[in-house]
Amino acid sequence: MANESETEISSLGEFGLISELTRDFKSVNKSTELGVGDDCAVLNYSGDSGKRTLVTTDLLLEGIHFDLTYTPLKHLGYKAAVVNFSDVYAMGGVPRQITVSLGISRRFTVEHINELYAGILLACEHYGVDLVGGDTSASVTGLLISVTCIGEADEGSIVRRSGARDTDLVYVSGDLGAAYMGLQLLEREREAGAGQADFQPDFAGREYLLERQLKPEARRDVIAELKKLGIHPTAMMDVSDGLSSELLHICHDSNVGCRVYEERIPIDYQTAVMAEELNMNLVTAAMNGGEDYELLFTVPLSEHQKAEQLTTARLIGHITKPELGSCLVSRDGNELEIRAQGWNAFKPQQQ
Amino acid sequence: MANESETEISSLGEFGLISELTRDFKSVNKSTELGVGDDCAVLNYSGDSGKRTLVTTDLLLEGIHFDLTYTPLKHLGYKAAVVNFSDVYAMGGVPRQITVSLGISRRFTVEHINELYAGILLACEHYGVDLVGGDTSASVTGLLISVTCIGEADEGSIVRRSGARDTDLVYVSGDLGAAYMGLQLLEREREAGAGQADFQPDFAGREYLLERQLKPEARRDVIAELKKLGIHPTAMMDVSDGLSSELLHICHDSNVGCRVYEERIPIDYQTAVMAEELNMNLVTAAMNGGEDYELLFTVPLSEHQKAEQLTTARLIGHITKPELGSCLVSRDGNELEIRAQGWNAFKPQQQ
């Protein structure tokens, strides 16, 4: 517990902590073109060839990010790799290499770790990525996975969070909230089955929710379609912490506001049914659930005609001047200020 | 505990586990020049410019790799960064960027993490490295630090573990065993002070051992001297798991044997005094203690005259044909087979 003169980390949250820690830091190498604060760092190791190297890293901890009572190790490995690939695509790049570090407590056997690795290697194969290194250690409690991904991009195809401009159109790929609902479903069945050895969870008709939670994919097809249509987004990021949180990142970093329309938020039928069954607000789940790994991006108004042809993403709103703030426009026309209610790993959780 | 059909990880150890996991993996990207199995992966993102990108990663876990009862957080941050820089120098490269991921349990405050970061940033400043990203999360228990370092090297200056040849000379920088003796000293004083609030540990005259354990440096001065003298080592790696373990890596990867002479193993006076005080075998400590972060390298016999001028490293033996095995030649002329007794994090520890 913190003394009076000390600051609890939960009071800052993850983004506040990172900004506090890196505030005074200045880069000294000319190969560092972009440091902390986007989906990836951008490095220039190519001289004048116009290629850039992207670097991103994600940490997954047992008991915080995953629960092995309902997460198969192979799926976990696949997801640990894919969430990093997603960050590289979200910068307009292509993932090429990963390193994987594992901390492994004594309850895991070689066979367990082989399962985990089978998932990592499957993701690598599927996305054309090479596993090039890592570190492996015993851990005191539980499993931890730290993945770093290296990608490449042409200088001109890199999309940062900071390029959105007033009147740009806001798009999001796929649909939102399903991974969150998948997690709610898994938690409910875990609780229902607690202590019963022969318990059979009931997932019929909810396969999509489970897939979104347990085996997400990175949207390289969206990047391919943007390229095919000749659309260059002005800002882009992947939706990992929830649409609200990501919209606020883009608006903050681009110094703009936005209007996003409730009726345009893409939501799958199974997500809606599950929200009703759990008596949860569907739009809140879609805006704040997180772990969607969809791509959120902005397109200049002048490219509207090209963007209308997108089959993988949907127009959900537009960028405004910063003084208009960031709002969700409800079906009845009310403007609700968007607040980041994305998941804060440092917030004390109710058990 | 493992069933009969399952395999305990401790039975393979870290290197066995990695080799089991990555056995069937083939790289698909032409930018991947060297994957798992050396101090760094070697990537080519430079086209034909002859530059290479190096990647290495290390995981440090509380309760496994460090004990915060005697490790100041600032020192820990410094060390977490430096051990990665050491891997880049050990390939003949220069570290340029790092990412730092942290898992932080609830007993840590913002002030604690600021201390840790102050150490990381001090190391970055000292070695000219940029902090470009990371991930930060709550953890269920303790602190974990996952660092990935990106470096660069000219294609021609990269040194792998696999290039040692029969008759090459074996050199090691600095001295060995001091970090291990520092750890023994810290552990002894921790036990002596257990439960005593006003206990003052006695470290007088042992400052060097503490420094080697708590605040190691990466030997970029050795790399600079090699360059100045025009010496290009045939094989090189840093001594993190102990000289025995690293010699066996070079001999295995280069398909050679070696003779290393006990009387030539560099050992500091404080290390020798401490070993005697603790009634430990000094040579065993120097050969197997680990965490020295010195550079072990081989030089062709033809460069002997240049290598004689080295002030940062010392000749300790020579490379032989593989059928002669890897041996330590004792002071009385006996040949003792070198076995890796380096630290195995997966081995059940006596508490």
Side-chain angles (χ1 to χ4, degrees):
Chain A
M1 285 291 99
N3 295 328
E4 274 183 47
S5 63
E6 297 181 323
T7 318
E8 299 244 12
I9 291 173
S10 57
S11 69
L12 294 182
E14 179 183 345
F15 302 121
L17 178 65
I18 291 171
S19 124
E20 159 91 13
L21 294 174
T22 58
R23 199 174 38 195
D24 298 328
F25 192 71
K26 300 268 178 299
S27 290
V28 296
N29 290 296
K30 64 176 188 220
S31 54
T32 306
E33 294 196 345
L34 180 67
V36 175
D38 214 307
D39 291 291
C40 295
V42 180
L43 312 181
N44 182 358
Y45 277 113
S46 76
D48 299 325
S49 79
K51 290 277 181 190
R52 293 296 179 270
T53 307
L54 306 175
V55 182
T56 182
T57 188
D58 265 298
L59 191 60
L60 292 178
L61 306 180
E62 186 176 356
I64 303 286
H65 301 100
F66 57 89
D67 184 331
L68 289 176
T69 50
Y70 52 69
T71 310
L73 282 162
K74 190 172 176 182
H75 285 72
L76 179 63
Y78 192 90
K79 183 170 175 174
V82 161
V83 300
N84 279 279
F85 303 162
S86 179
D87 279 321
V88 175
Y89 289 119
M91 294 291 287
V94 179
R96 295 294 188 199
Q97 287 92 14
I98 54 169
T99 63
V100 177
S101 292
L102 301 178
I104 308 167
S105 68
R106 295 201 60 200
R107 77 177 202 273
F108 296 94
T109 63
V110 173
E111 288 73 16
H112 288 135
I113 304 305
N114 263 325
E115 270 296 294
L116 181 75
Y117 249 72
I120 293 169
L121 295 183
L122 184 65
C124 284
E125 202 181 320
H126 190 60
Y127 288 92
V129 172
D130 296 329
L131 177 73
V132 298
D135 193 10
T136 308
S137 168
S139 91
V140 175
T141 49
L143 181 66
L144 73 92
I145 311 171
S146 177
V147 176
T148 299
C149 184
I150 319 281
E152 71 177 321
D154 293 324
E155 184 186 3
S157 70
I158 289 176
V159 188
R160 300 183 181 188
R161 298 177 179 178
S162 55
R165 297 291 169 260
D166 184 24
T167 77
D168 281 359
L169 303 171
V170 180
Y171 285 81
V172 73
S173 66
D175 59 80
L176 302 173
Y180 179 72
M181 283 302 163
L183 182 62
Q184 303 308 313
L185 174 63
L186 286 162
E187 288 280 355
R188 185 182 71 176
E189 297 299 306
R190 181 178 63 84
E191 283 166 26
Q196 301 173 52
D198 58 350
F199 179 78
Q200 283 297 321
D202 178 17
F203 296 139
R206 310 290 161 85
E207 292 78 6
Y208 180 67
L209 305 180
L210 294 186
E211 196 185 306
R212 294 285 285 177
Q213 171 55 226
L214 296 176
K215 194 167 175 287
E217 299 290 348
R219 298 305 305 262
R220 67 172 157 182
D221 57 328
V222 177
I223 301 297
E225 192 180 33
L226 286 167
K227 198 171 174 184
K228 195 183 112 200
L229 294 172
I231 300 167
H232 189 76
T234 47
M236 182 156 59
M237 62 188 297
D238 73 336
V239 182
S240 50
D241 294 320
L243 182 64
S244 295
S245 172
E246 318 309 9
L247 279 168
L248 292 180
H249 277 301
I250 285 181
C251 288
H252 176 270
D253 291 4
S254 300
N255 190 29
V256 295
C258 72
R259 289 293 172 280
V260 161
Y261 296 86
E262 181 186 337
E263 63 189 9
R264 290 186 164 270
I265 305 296
I267 295 171
D268 184 79
Y269 175 75
Q270 287 186 24
T271 308
V273 170
M274 192 73 210
E276 194 172 330
E277 197 174 312
L278 295 173
N279 205 17
M280 296 179 90
N281 184 302
L282 178 59
V283 175
T284 303
M287 292 288 289
N288 300 301
E291 293 201 276
D292 301 301
Y293 301 105
E294 296 296 343
L295 291 174
L296 171 68
F297 56 92
T298 58
V299 168
L301 194 54
S302 59
E303 301 204 356
H304 182 219
Q305 277 193 315
K306 282 193 274 184
E308 269 194 325
Q309 300 170 58
L310 281 166
T311 61
T312 55
R314 183 173 180 175
L315 179 66
I316 60 168
H318 57 88
I319 297 295
T320 67
K321 292 191 168 56
E323 55 269 27
L324 296 178
S326 301
C327 294
L328 178 71
V329 182
S330 68
R331 285 172 204 273
D332 56 13
N334 282 325
E335 294 197 340
L336 313 166
E337 192 191 335
I338 295 172
R339 292 165 194 273
Q341 295 169 11
W343 189 63
N344 176 358
F346 291 106
K347 224 160 124 186
Q349 306 287 314
Q350 289 186 317
Q351 296 292 336
Chain B
M1 287 291 97
N3 296 328
E4 274 183 48
S5 63
E6 296 180 321
T7 317
E8 299 245 13
I9 291 172
S10 57
S11 70
L12 293 182
E14 179 182 347
F15 302 121
L17 179 65
I18 291 171
S19 123
E20 159 92 14
L21 294 172
T22 57
R23 201 175 36 195
D24 297 328
F25 192 71
K26 299 268 179 299
S27 291
V28 296
N29 290 296
K30 65 175 187 219
S31 53
T32 307
E33 293 196 347
L34 180 67
V36 175
D38 214 308
D39 291 290
C40 295
V42 180
L43 312 180
N44 182 359
Y45 276 113
S46 75
D48 300 325
S49 79
K51 291 276 183 191
R52 293 296 179 271
T53 307
L54 306 175
V55 182
T56 181
T57 189
D58 265 298
L59 191 61
L60 292 178
L61 306 179
E62 186 177 357
I64 303 286
H65 301 100
F66 57 88
D67 183 332
L68 289 175
T69 49
Y70 51 69
T71 310
L73 282 162
K74 190 171 176 181
H75 285 72
L76 179 63
Y78 192 89
K79 182 170 176 174
V82 162
V83 300
N84 280 277
F85 303 162
S86 178
D87 279 321
V88 175
Y89 290 119
M91 294 291 287
V94 179
R96 295 294 188 200
Q97 287 92 14
I98 54 168
T99 64
V100 176
S101 292
L102 301 178
I104 308 167
S105 69
R106 296 201 60 201
R107 77 176 200 273
F108 295 94
T109 64
V110 173
E111 288 74 15
H112 289 134
I113 305 304
N114 262 326
E115 271 295 293
L116 181 74
Y117 250 71
I120 294 169
L121 295 183
L122 183 65
C124 284
E125 202 181 319
H126 189 60
Y127 289 90
V129 172
D130 296 329
L131 177 74
V132 297
D135 193 10
T136 308
S137 168
S139 90
V140 176
T141 49
L143 180 66
L144 73 93
I145 311 171
S146 176
V147 176
T148 299
C149 184
I150 319 279
E152 71 177 320
D154 293 323
E155 184 185 3
S157 69
I158 290 176
V159 188
R160 301 184 181 188
R161 298 177 179 178
S162 55
R165 296 291 170 258
D166 184 24
T167 77
D168 282 359
L169 302 171
V170 180
Y171 285 80
V172 74
S173 66
D175 60 80
L176 302 174
Y180 179 73
M181 283 302 162
L183 182 63
Q184 303 309 312
L185 175 63
L186 287 162
E187 289 281 354
R188 184 183 71 176
E189 297 300 304
R190 180 178 64 84
E191 282 166 27
Q196 303 173 50
D198 57 350
F199 179 79
Q200 284 297 322
D202 177 17
F203 295 138
R206 310 290 160 85
E207 292 78 6
Y208 180 67
L209 305 181
L210 294 185
E211 196 185 305
R212 294 285 285 177
Q213 171 56 227
L214 296 175
K215 194 168 175 285
E217 299 290 348
R219 297 305 305 262
R220 67 173 156 181
D221 56 330
V222 177
I223 300 297
E225 193 181 32
L226 286 168
K227 198 171 173 182
K228 195 183 111 203
L229 294 173
I231 301 167
H232 189 76
T234 47
M236 183 157 58
M237 61 187 297
D238 72 336
V239 182
S240 51
D241 294 320
L243 181 65
S244 294
S245 172
E246 318 309 10
L247 279 169
L248 292 182
H249 277 302
I250 286 183
C251 288
H252 176 269
D253 292 5
S254 300
N255 190 31
V256 294
C258 71
R259 288 293 172 282
V260 161
Y261 296 86
E262 182 186 336
E263 63 189 9
R264 290 185 164 269
I265 305 296
I267 295 172
D268 184 80
Y269 175 74
Q270 287 186 23
T271 308
V273 170
M274 193 71 211
E276 194 172 328
E277 197 173 314
L278 295 174
N279 204 17
M280 296 178 89
N281 184 303
L282 178 59
V283 175
T284 304
M287 292 288 289
N288 300 301
E291 294 200 275
D292 301 302
Y293 301 106
E294 296 296 343
L295 291 174
L296 170 68
F297 55 91
T298 57
V299 168
L301 193 55
S302 59
E303 301 203 357
H304 182 219
Q305 277 194 315
K306 283 193 274 184
E308 270 195 325
Q309 300 171 57
L310 280 166
T311 61
T312 55
R314 183 173 180 176
L315 179 65
I316 59 168
H318 58 87
I319 297 294
T320 66
K321 292 191 169 58
E323 54 270 28
L324 296 177
S326 301
C327 294
L328 178 71
V329 182
S330 67
R331 286 173 204 271
D332 55 13
N334 282 325
E335 295 197 340
L336 313 165
E337 192 191 336
I338 295 172
R339 293 166 193 273
Q341 295 169 12
W343 189 63
N344 176 359
F346 290 106
K347 221 161 128 186
Q349 306 288 313
Q350 287 186 319
Q351 296 293 337

